[in-house]
mmCIF file with all atom_site columns, all heavy atoms in Angstrom:
data_model
loop_
_atom_site.group_PDB
_atom_site.id
_atom_site.type_symbol
_atom_site.label_atom_id
_atom_site.label_alt_id
_atom_site.label_comp_id
_atom_site.label_asym_id
_atom_site.label_entity_id
_atom_site.label_seq_id
_atom_site.pdbx_PDB_ins_code
_atom_site.Cartn_x
_atom_site.Cartn_y
_atom_site.Cartn_z
_atom_site.occupancy
_atom_site.B_iso_or_equiv
_atom_site.pdbx_formal_charge
_atom_site.auth_seq_id
_atom_site.auth_comp_id
_atom_site.auth_asym_id
_atom_site.auth_atom_id
_atom_site.pdbx_PDB_model_num
ATOM 1   N N   . GLY A 1 178 ? 115.681 36.054 163.911 1.00 0.00 ? 671 GLY A N   1
ATOM 2   C CA  . GLY A 1 178 ? 114.314 36.324 163.509 1.00 0.00 ? 671 GLY A CA  1
ATOM 3   C C   . GLY A 1 178 ? 114.232 37.075 162.198 1.00 0.00 ? 671 GLY A C   1
ATOM 4   O O   . GLY A 1 178 ? 113.387 36.784 161.352 1.00 0.00 ? 671 GLY A O   1
ATOM 5   N N   . LEU A 1 179 ? 115.111 38.047 162.013 1.00 0.00 ? 672 LEU A N   1
ATOM 6   C CA  . LEU A 1 179 ? 115.134 38.804 160.761 1.00 0.00 ? 672 LEU A CA  1
ATOM 7   C C   . LEU A 1 179 ? 115.587 37.944 159.601 1.00 0.00 ? 672 LEU A C   1
ATOM 8   O O   . LEU A 1 179 ? 115.037 37.995 158.508 1.00 0.00 ? 672 LEU A O   1
ATOM 9   C CB  . LEU A 1 179 ? 116.079 40.011 160.902 1.00 0.00 ? 672 LEU A CB  1
ATOM 10  C CG  . LEU A 1 179 ? 115.595 41.134 161.817 1.00 0.00 ? 672 LEU A CG  1
ATOM 11  C CD1 . LEU A 1 179 ? 116.719 42.140 162.052 1.00 0.00 ? 672 LEU A CD1 1
ATOM 12  C CD2 . LEU A 1 179 ? 114.379 41.848 161.226 1.00 0.00 ? 672 LEU A CD2 1
ATOM 13  N N   . ALA A 1 180 ? 116.607 37.087 159.842 1.00 0.00 ? 673 ALA A N   1
ATOM 14  C CA  . ALA A 1 180 ? 117.140 36.234 158.787 1.00 0.00 ? 673 ALA A CA  1
ATOM 15  C C   . ALA A 1 180 ? 116.133 35.206 158.317 1.00 0.00 ? 673 ALA A C   1
ATOM 16  O O   . ALA A 1 180 ? 116.028 34.912 157.131 1.00 0.00 ? 673 ALA A O   1
ATOM 17  C CB  . ALA A 1 180 ? 118.428 35.540 159.247 1.00 0.00 ? 673 ALA A CB  1
ATOM 18  N N   . LEU A 1 181 ? 115.376 34.648 159.260 1.00 0.00 ? 674 LEU A N   1
ATOM 19  C CA  . LEU A 1 181 ? 114.390 33.610 158.924 1.00 0.00 ? 674 LEU A CA  1
ATOM 20  C C   . LEU A 1 181 ? 113.018 34.190 158.630 1.00 0.00 ? 674 LEU A C   1
ATOM 21  O O   . LEU A 1 181 ? 112.054 33.446 158.433 1.00 0.00 ? 674 LEU A O   1
ATOM 22  C CB  . LEU A 1 181 ? 114.279 32.606 160.084 1.00 0.00 ? 674 LEU A CB  1
ATOM 23  C CG  . LEU A 1 181 ? 115.551 31.834 160.411 1.00 0.00 ? 674 LEU A CG  1
ATOM 24  C CD1 . LEU A 1 181 ? 115.311 30.878 161.578 1.00 0.00 ? 674 LEU A CD1 1
ATOM 25  C CD2 . LEU A 1 181 ? 116.052 31.059 159.193 1.00 0.00 ? 674 LEU A CD2 1
ATOM 26  N N   . ARG A 1 182 ? 112.941 35.540 158.636 1.00 0.00 ? 675 ARG A N   1
ATOM 27  C CA  . ARG A 1 182 ? 111.679 36.240 158.341 1.00 0.00 ? 675 ARG A CA  1
ATOM 28  C C   . ARG A 1 182 ? 110.585 35.897 159.346 1.00 0.00 ? 675 ARG A C   1
ATOM 29  O O   . ARG A 1 182 ? 109.392 35.904 159.027 1.00 0.00 ? 675 ARG A O   1
ATOM 30  C CB  . ARG A 1 182 ? 111.201 35.960 156.912 1.00 0.00 ? 675 ARG A CB  1
ATOM 31  C CG  . ARG A 1 182 ? 112.187 36.397 155.860 1.00 0.00 ? 675 ARG A CG  1
ATOM 32  C CD  . ARG A 1 182 ? 111.660 36.169 154.459 1.00 0.00 ? 675 ARG A CD  1
ATOM 33  N NE  . ARG A 1 182 ? 110.492 37.023 154.181 1.00 0.00 ? 675 ARG A NE  1
ATOM 34  C CZ  . ARG A 1 182 ? 110.584 38.268 153.740 1.00 0.00 ? 675 ARG A CZ  1
ATOM 35  N NH1 . ARG A 1 182 ? 111.756 38.822 153.529 1.00 0.00 ? 675 ARG A NH1 1
ATOM 36  N NH2 . ARG A 1 182 ? 109.482 38.961 153.480 1.00 0.00 ? 675 ARG A NH2 1
ATOM 37  N N   . GLU A 1 183 ? 110.994 35.568 160.580 1.00 0.00 ? 676 GLU A N   1
ATOM 38  C CA  . GLU A 1 183 ? 110.016 35.404 161.662 1.00 0.00 ? 676 GLU A CA  1
ATOM 39  C C   . GLU A 1 183 ? 109.469 36.766 162.089 1.00 0.00 ? 676 GLU A C   1
ATOM 40  O O   . GLU A 1 183 ? 108.338 36.847 162.566 1.00 0.00 ? 676 GLU A O   1
ATOM 41  C CB  . GLU A 1 183 ? 110.676 34.709 162.859 1.00 0.00 ? 676 GLU A CB  1
ATOM 42  C CG  . GLU A 1 183 ? 111.145 33.299 162.579 1.00 0.00 ? 676 GLU A CG  1
ATOM 43  C CD  . GLU A 1 183 ? 111.931 32.695 163.731 1.00 0.00 ? 676 GLU A CD  1
ATOM 44  O OE1 . GLU A 1 183 ? 112.339 33.456 164.614 1.00 0.00 ? 676 GLU A OE1 1
ATOM 45  O OE2 . GLU A 1 183 ? 112.139 31.476 163.721 1.00 0.00 ? 676 GLU A OE2 1
ATOM 46  N N   . ILE A 1 184 ? 110.278 37.799 161.941 1.00 0.00 ? 677 ILE A N   1
ATOM 47  C CA  . ILE A 1 184 ? 109.883 39.154 162.267 1.00 0.00 ? 677 ILE A CA  1
ATOM 48  C C   . ILE A 1 184 ? 110.295 40.090 161.130 1.00 0.00 ? 677 ILE A C   1
ATOM 49  O O   . ILE A 1 184 ? 111.149 39.741 160.314 1.00 0.00 ? 677 ILE A O   1
ATOM 50  C CB  . ILE A 1 184 ? 110.523 39.656 163.578 1.00 0.00 ? 677 ILE A CB  1
ATOM 51  C CG1 . ILE A 1 184 ? 112.054 39.606 163.468 1.00 0.00 ? 677 ILE A CG1 1
ATOM 52  C CG2 . ILE A 1 184 ? 110.038 38.838 164.762 1.00 0.00 ? 677 ILE A CG2 1
ATOM 53  C CD1 . ILE A 1 184 ? 112.770 40.258 164.638 1.00 0.00 ? 677 ILE A CD1 1
ATOM 54  N N   . THR A 1 185 ? 109.659 41.243 161.074 1.00 0.00 ? 678 THR A N   1
ATOM 55  C CA  . THR A 1 185 ? 110.040 42.296 160.142 1.00 0.00 ? 678 THR A CA  1
ATOM 56  C C   . THR A 1 185 ? 110.190 43.604 160.929 1.00 0.00 ? 678 THR A C   1
ATOM 57  O O   . THR A 1 185 ? 110.016 43.624 162.155 1.00 0.00 ? 678 THR A O   1
ATOM 58  C CB  . THR A 1 185 ? 108.949 42.481 159.059 1.00 0.00 ? 678 THR A CB  1
ATOM 59  O OG1 . THR A 1 185 ? 107.718 42.839 159.684 1.00 0.00 ? 678 THR A OG1 1
ATOM 60  C CG2 . THR A 1 185 ? 108.765 41.193 158.267 1.00 0.00 ? 678 THR A CG2 1
ATOM 61  N N   . VAL A 1 186 ? 110.486 44.672 160.225 1.00 0.00 ? 679 VAL A N   1
ATOM 62  C CA  . VAL A 1 186 ? 110.691 45.954 160.885 1.00 0.00 ? 679 VAL A CA  1
ATOM 63  C C   . VAL A 1 186 ? 109.457 46.394 161.666 1.00 0.00 ? 679 VAL A C   1
ATOM 64  O O   . VAL A 1 186 ? 109.553 47.013 162.714 1.00 0.00 ? 679 VAL A O   1
ATOM 65  C CB  . VAL A 1 186 ? 111.091 47.028 159.835 1.00 0.00 ? 679 VAL A CB  1
ATOM 66  C CG1 . VAL A 1 186 ? 111.144 48.409 160.461 1.00 0.00 ? 679 VAL A CG1 1
ATOM 67  C CG2 . VAL A 1 186 ? 112.416 46.668 159.205 1.00 0.00 ? 679 VAL A CG2 1
ATOM 68  N N   . ARG A 1 187 ? 108.294 46.051 161.150 1.00 0.00 ? 680 ARG A N   1
ATOM 69  C CA  . ARG A 1 187 ? 107.060 46.496 161.817 1.00 0.00 ? 680 ARG A CA  1
ATOM 70  C C   . ARG A 1 187 ? 106.843 45.824 163.177 1.00 0.00 ? 680 ARG A C   1
ATOM 71  O O   . ARG A 1 187 ? 105.986 46.264 163.947 1.00 0.00 ? 680 ARG A O   1
ATOM 72  C CB  . ARG A 1 187 ? 105.849 46.253 160.912 1.00 0.00 ? 680 ARG A CB  1
ATOM 73  C CG  . ARG A 1 187 ? 105.495 44.798 160.703 1.00 0.00 ? 680 ARG A CG  1
ATOM 74  C CD  . ARG A 1 187 ? 104.204 44.669 159.906 1.00 0.00 ? 680 ARG A CD  1
ATOM 75  N NE  . ARG A 1 187 ? 103.784 43.291 159.726 1.00 0.00 ? 680 ARG A NE  1
ATOM 76  C CZ  . ARG A 1 187 ? 104.161 42.533 158.707 1.00 0.00 ? 680 ARG A CZ  1
ATOM 77  N NH1 . ARG A 1 187 ? 104.981 43.044 157.795 1.00 0.00 ? 680 ARG A NH1 1
ATOM 78  N NH2 . ARG A 1 187 ? 103.734 41.286 158.600 1.00 0.00 ? 680 ARG A NH2 1
ATOM 79  N N   . HIS A 1 188 ? 107.583 44.781 163.475 1.00 0.00 ? 681 HIS A N   1
ATOM 80  C CA  . HIS A 1 188 ? 107.452 44.109 164.759 1.00 0.00 ? 681 HIS A CA  1
ATOM 81  C C   . HIS A 1 188 ? 108.412 44.692 165.815 1.00 0.00 ? 681 HIS A C   1
ATOM 82  O O   . HIS A 1 188 ? 108.578 44.099 166.876 1.00 0.00 ? 681 HIS A O   1
ATOM 83  C CB  . HIS A 1 188 ? 107.757 42.607 164.621 1.00 0.00 ? 681 HIS A CB  1
ATOM 84  C CG  . HIS A 1 188 ? 106.784 41.872 163.768 1.00 0.00 ? 681 HIS A CG  1
ATOM 85  N ND1 . HIS A 1 188 ? 107.110 41.357 162.528 1.00 0.00 ? 681 HIS A ND1 1
ATOM 86  C CD2 . HIS A 1 188 ? 105.472 41.559 163.957 1.00 0.00 ? 681 HIS A CD2 1
ATOM 87  C CE1 . HIS A 1 188 ? 106.055 40.760 162.010 1.00 0.00 ? 681 HIS A CE1 1
ATOM 88  N NE2 . HIS A 1 188 ? 105.052 40.872 162.849 1.00 0.00 ? 681 HIS A NE2 1
ATOM 89  N N   . TRP A 1 189 ? 109.018 45.844 165.515 1.00 0.00 ? 682 TRP A N   1
ATOM 90  C CA  . TRP A 1 189 ? 110.084 46.345 166.380 1.00 0.00 ? 682 TRP A CA  1
ATOM 91  C C   . TRP A 1 189 ? 109.630 46.538 167.819 1.00 0.00 ? 682 TRP A C   1
ATOM 92  O O   . TRP A 1 189 ? 110.359 46.228 168.757 1.00 0.00 ? 682 TRP A O   1
ATOM 93  C CB  . TRP A 1 189 ? 110.627 47.662 165.807 1.00 0.00 ? 682 TRP A CB  1
ATOM 94  C CG  . TRP A 1 189 ? 109.699 48.843 165.983 1.00 0.00 ? 682 TRP A CG  1
ATOM 95  C CD1 . TRP A 1 189 ? 108.743 49.278 165.126 1.00 0.00 ? 682 TRP A CD1 1
ATOM 96  C CD2 . TRP A 1 189 ? 109.668 49.727 167.094 1.00 0.00 ? 682 TRP A CD2 1
ATOM 97  N NE1 . TRP A 1 189 ? 108.099 50.354 165.625 1.00 0.00 ? 682 TRP A NE1 1
ATOM 98  C CE2 . TRP A 1 189 ? 108.644 50.676 166.834 1.00 0.00 ? 682 TRP A CE2 1
ATOM 99  C CE3 . TRP A 1 189 ? 110.394 49.828 168.282 1.00 0.00 ? 682 TRP A CE3 1
ATOM 100 C CZ2 . TRP A 1 189 ? 108.327 51.696 167.720 1.00 0.00 ? 682 TRP A CZ2 1
ATOM 101 C CZ3 . TRP A 1 189 ? 110.079 50.848 169.174 1.00 0.00 ? 682 TRP A CZ3 1
ATOM 102 C CH2 . TRP A 1 189 ? 109.074 51.772 168.895 1.00 0.00 ? 682 TRP A CH2 1
ATOM 103 N N   . PHE A 1 190 ? 108.402 47.053 168.016 1.00 0.00 ? 683 PHE A N   1
ATOM 104 C CA  . PHE A 1 190 ? 107.972 47.338 169.378 1.00 0.00 ? 683 PHE A CA  1
ATOM 105 C C   . PHE A 1 190 ? 107.765 46.059 170.167 1.00 0.00 ? 683 PHE A C   1
ATOM 106 O O   . PHE A 1 190 ? 108.173 45.976 171.352 1.00 0.00 ? 683 PHE A O   1
ATOM 107 C CB  . PHE A 1 190 ? 106.685 48.163 169.376 1.00 0.00 ? 683 PHE A CB  1
ATOM 108 C CG  . PHE A 1 190 ? 106.227 48.565 170.762 1.00 0.00 ? 683 PHE A CG  1
ATOM 109 C CD1 . PHE A 1 190 ? 106.817 49.637 171.402 1.00 0.00 ? 683 PHE A CD1 1
ATOM 110 C CD2 . PHE A 1 190 ? 105.237 47.856 171.422 1.00 0.00 ? 683 PHE A CD2 1
ATOM 111 C CE1 . PHE A 1 190 ? 106.427 50.010 172.692 1.00 0.00 ? 683 PHE A CE1 1
ATOM 112 C CE2 . PHE A 1 190 ? 104.846 48.212 172.700 1.00 0.00 ? 683 PHE A CE2 1
ATOM 113 C CZ  . PHE A 1 190 ? 105.431 49.291 173.329 1.00 0.00 ? 683 PHE A CZ  1
ATOM 114 N N   . ARG A 1 191 ? 107.160 45.040 169.550 1.00 0.00 ? 684 ARG A N   1
ATOM 115 C CA  . ARG A 1 191 ? 106.954 43.778 170.246 1.00 0.00 ? 684 ARG A CA  1
ATOM 116 C C   . ARG A 1 191 ? 108.274 43.119 170.629 1.00 0.00 ? 684 ARG A C   1
ATOM 117 O O   . ARG A 1 191 ? 108.436 42.611 171.753 1.00 0.00 ? 684 ARG A O   1
ATOM 118 C CB  . ARG A 1 191 ? 106.140 42.823 169.372 1.00 0.00 ? 684 ARG A CB  1
ATOM 119 C CG  . ARG A 1 191 ? 104.677 43.215 169.212 1.00 0.00 ? 684 ARG A CG  1
ATOM 120 C CD  . ARG A 1 191 ? 103.962 42.272 168.273 1.00 0.00 ? 684 ARG A CD  1
ATOM 121 N NE  . ARG A 1 191 ? 104.040 40.883 168.738 1.00 0.00 ? 684 ARG A NE  1
ATOM 122 C CZ  . ARG A 1 191 ? 103.642 39.839 168.007 1.00 0.00 ? 684 ARG A CZ  1
ATOM 123 N NH1 . ARG A 1 191 ? 103.174 40.032 166.792 1.00 0.00 ? 684 ARG A NH1 1
ATOM 124 N NH2 . ARG A 1 191 ? 103.735 38.626 168.496 1.00 0.00 ? 684 ARG A NH2 1
ATOM 125 N N   . VAL A 1 192 ? 109.219 43.152 169.689 1.00 0.00 ? 685 VAL A N   1
ATOM 126 C CA  . VAL A 1 192 ? 110.538 42.560 169.978 1.00 0.00 ? 685 VAL A CA  1
ATOM 127 C C   . VAL A 1 192 ? 111.234 43.345 171.069 1.00 0.00 ? 685 VAL A C   1
ATOM 128 O O   . VAL A 1 192 ? 111.799 42.769 172.011 1.00 0.00 ? 685 VAL A O   1
ATOM 129 C CB  . VAL A 1 192 ? 111.390 42.525 168.698 1.00 0.00 ? 685 VAL A CB  1
ATOM 130 C CG1 . VAL A 1 192 ? 112.771 41.978 168.998 1.00 0.00 ? 685 VAL A CG1 1
ATOM 131 C CG2 . VAL A 1 192 ? 110.706 41.691 167.625 1.00 0.00 ? 685 VAL A CG2 1
#
Side-chain angles (χ1 to χ4, degrees):
L672 290 170
L674 298 180
R675 300 183 66 86
E676 296 173 346
I677 60 172
T678 60
V679 173
R680 69 174 182 271
H681 295 111
W682 73 269
F683 184 80
R684 289 177 57 189
V685 177

